[in-house]
């Protein structure tokens, strides 16, 4: 499978569709998942064309995990969940639905607290409110 430049995250990177941004640097972008599996569900993507981990340059993989750690720390500090789960899916069989590599940062409260993957769009003003808490906690 080759990279499709019209995937939704590529469109976000080109500013063709909006996102609720929490962090950006030269190599990466972090924004809120609009169909969150838990309150505070955040996504981190590299600014390079790679559909999955197997097509990502090592230097970009480093940048991606550095930003993921930075934003996960802000999620932990800003939202104070009991735990923080990271997920990264490769291939449709693994559940990947957007073919531009990304890490999921999902706050967890314990037990069965996740809603279904990429299913229901949440209230955007509520997501915006949560994003502000994450941004305020960024170091
Ligand atoms: P995956 O299934 O691992 O490829 O994850 C894709 C994620 O992108 C899902 O959690 C979706 O809820 C999320 N998603 C899809 N479209 C958008 C969008 N326009 N803005 C933010 N998140 C999105």
């Amino acid at each position: 499978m080759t990279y499709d430049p019209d995937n939704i995250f590529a469109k976000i990177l080109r500013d063709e569709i909006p996102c609720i941004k929490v962090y950006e640097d030269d190599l990466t972008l972090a924004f809120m998942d609009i169909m969150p599996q838990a309150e505070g569900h955040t996504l981190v993507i590299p600014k390079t064309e790679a559909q999955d981990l197997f097509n990502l340059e090592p230097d970009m993989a480093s940048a991606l995990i550095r930003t993921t750690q930075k934003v996960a720390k802000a999620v932990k500090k800003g939202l104070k969940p009991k735990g923080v789960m990271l997920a990264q899916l490769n291939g449709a069989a693994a559940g990947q639905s957007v073919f531009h590599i990304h890490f999921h940062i999902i706050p967890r409260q314990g037990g069965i607290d996740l809603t279904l993957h990429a299913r229901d769009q949440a209230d955007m003003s509520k997501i915006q409110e949560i994003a502000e808490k994450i941004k305020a906690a960024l170091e």
Side-chain angles (χ1 to χ4, degrees), residues 91-105:
Q96 186 177 8
S97 60
V98 178
F99 295 91
H100 180 112
I101 184 172
H102 49 280
F103 271 95
H104 297 259
I105 300 171

Side-chain angles (χ1 to χ4, degrees), residues 8-9 12 17-19 31-37 41 43 89 95-99 102 104 117-119:
I8 197 110
F9 294 170
I12 285 175
I17 62 164
C19 73
F31 54 98
M32 303 308 292
D33 195 305
I34 57 169
M35 291 169 276
Q37 285 188 266
H41 186 164
L43 301 169
L89 313 179
Q96 186 177 8
S97 60
V98 178
F99 295 91
H102 49 280
H104 297 259
H117 185 64
R119 203 58 77 89

